[in-house]
Amino acid sequence: MTRTVQWQEAALVTGQEVWPSTIGLGTPISRGLPYKDVLVPAQHGGMPAWLVPGNPAGEVRGTDWVILTHGYKGLRQDSLRILPTFRRLGLTSLTITYRNAHGAPRTKQGVYRLSAEEWQDLEAAVVYARTQGARRLLLMGFSMGGGITLAFLRYSTLAAEVSGVILDSPSLEWRALIRHFARRYRLLPLAGMVERLTSLKSGQDFDAVDHLSVMDRFSTPMLLFHGSHDRTVPVEQVELLAKARPDIVEYHRMEGAEHVRGWNVDPERYEATLAEFVQRIMS
């Protein structure tokens, strides 16, 4: 059954502050982690990525990896909050930068496809990890990175190779998000026009990124974090997934947390929850 946990807003402990902003957070060195800059071969060129080796003293095997994917217009720095936890657990982490993101290869049109195509870059990262010795894999996605993770599970022939996924504030259905933002800015009558113009301009396939409509197809265990005060992806949308698939989803609702700020409301509980999930899935 779904485990739903509501967390209250908590003050950050001095020395633990790592804000969601992607400005000024540096590299894994800023979190005391050894790492290598690597290029992951992909369809549109080498994708810049961070490779952080797992701690040999960790509790999981040296061939266990996690691949992390940032959100819309995000950077790899989104992952810095949680990389130390994966290293303590012994997982090697690969934090990728997908097509059209800052520093990554660009497509001809140079626009995001909202996970409809970006999942192919995550697939390339899975292939790369396997060539580097990975045997068991976890995926973690932030915001649109969560949508990319679900698109990978939905479309990739390699989906069965993934043992579990961690979703932080995932975007699941973009038509509803367009209406949400239109309502938020009192422009609801324009929502349909925005959807049509987006399809005409970039060829966006909104059915391909409607992951809520195919909830019954997923079988991979999922750990889901979402903030009750998320104004980017409404918590009600994400809870549809949690309520529909209690057989595979462990859901943690963080009271008071905004978008991709679940770690910030209570780092210790977030990390402990993640560690318990990883140890259970990888046991």
Side-chain angles (χ1 to χ4, degrees):
M1 297 181 63
T2 301
R3 295 172 54 190
T4 301
V5 180
Q6 297 188 2
W7 295 355
Q8 299 298 322
E9 187 78 32
L12 288 175
V13 178
T14 301
Q16 287 186 312
E17 287 188 16
V18 180
W19 296 103
S21 168
T22 57
I23 299 174
L25 292 182
T27 69
I29 289 292
S30 67
R31 298 289 278 153
L33 302 175
Y35 82 103
K36 292 194 302 183
D37 284 309
V38 299
L39 288 176
V40 175
Q43 178 183 1
H44 295 283
M47 298 185 299
W50 291 330
L51 181 62
V52 177
N55 183 349
E59 298 182 25
V60 296
R61 303 174 186 175
T63 54
D64 292 335
W65 284 46
V66 58
I67 301 174
L68 300 99
T69 310
H70 62 76
Y72 184 90
K73 293 188 177 180
L75 297 174
R76 282 172 285 170
Q77 281 81 353
D78 290 347
S79 70
L80 289 178
R81 288 158 288 176
I82 203 62
L83 289 182
T85 301
F86 287 125
R87 177 163 167 80
R88 284 196 298 271
L89 290 169
L91 275 84
T92 292
S93 63
L94 181 69
T95 304
I96 66 171
T97 307
Y98 49 81
R99 62 187 68 184
N100 298 315
H102 179 72
R106 297 184 66 80
T107 62
K108 184 176 181 180
Q109 286 189 303
V111 297
Y112 288 119
R113 298 295 189 181
L114 310 179
S115 79
E117 295 179 356
E118 291 85 355
W119 69 267
Q120 297 169 27
D121 292 340
L122 179 53
E123 182 180 71
V126 168
V127 171
Y128 173 84
R130 293 301 300 268
T131 65
Q132 300 300 306
R135 292 295 173 266
R136 294 191 300 177
L137 287 165
L138 296 176
L139 304 179
M140 182 170 190
F142 301 91
S143 191
M144 192 178 96
I148 293 170
T149 299
L150 291 175
F152 169 88
L153 295 180
R154 183 175 173 182
Y155 299 119
S156 177
T157 58
L158 303 180
E161 298 189 17
V162 173
S163 300
V165 302
I166 301 133
L167 307 173
D168 190 322
S169 311
S171 54
L172 303 177
E173 204 281 285
W174 282 87
R175 292 188 184 97
L177 290 181
I178 290 173
R179 293 193 298 272
H180 163 69
F181 277 99
R183 188 178 301 109
R184 177 177 168 185
Y185 293 107
R186 300 181 181 179
L187 297 171
L188 187 57
L190 299 180
M193 182 186 301
V194 170
E195 181 183 330
R196 289 191 295 274
L197 288 175
T198 301
S199 297
L200 287 172
K201 181 180 178 181
S202 67
Q204 179 64 54
D205 183 345
F206 284 100
D207 289 333
V209 296
D210 177 3
H211 305 308
L212 287 178
S213 67
V214 294
M215 291 183 291
D216 59 320
R217 300 184 192 177
F218 298 117
S219 59
T220 307
M222 301 179 185
L223 175 62
L224 174 60
F225 295 104
H226 209 87
S228 64
H229 288 188
D230 192 328
R231 297 191 301 165
T232 302
V233 179
V235 68
E236 293 81 9
Q237 181 183 114
V238 171
E239 288 181 342
L240 291 174
L241 174 61
K243 293 175 181 177
R245 296 304 310 272
D247 54 322
I248 62 171
V249 176
E250 177 184 333
Y251 172 49
H252 291 261
R253 171 180 170 128
M254 292 82 81
E255 294 301 324
E258 298 181 5
H259 190 58
V260 199
R261 286 166 170 80
W263 181 93
N264 297 68
V265 299
D266 194 334
E268 292 185 0
R269 292 189 66 178
Y270 187 105
E271 293 172 10
T273 299
L274 186 146
E276 190 278 331
F277 176 79
V278 169
Q279 292 164 347
R280 172 161 48 85
I281 293 301
M282 296 301 210
S283 62

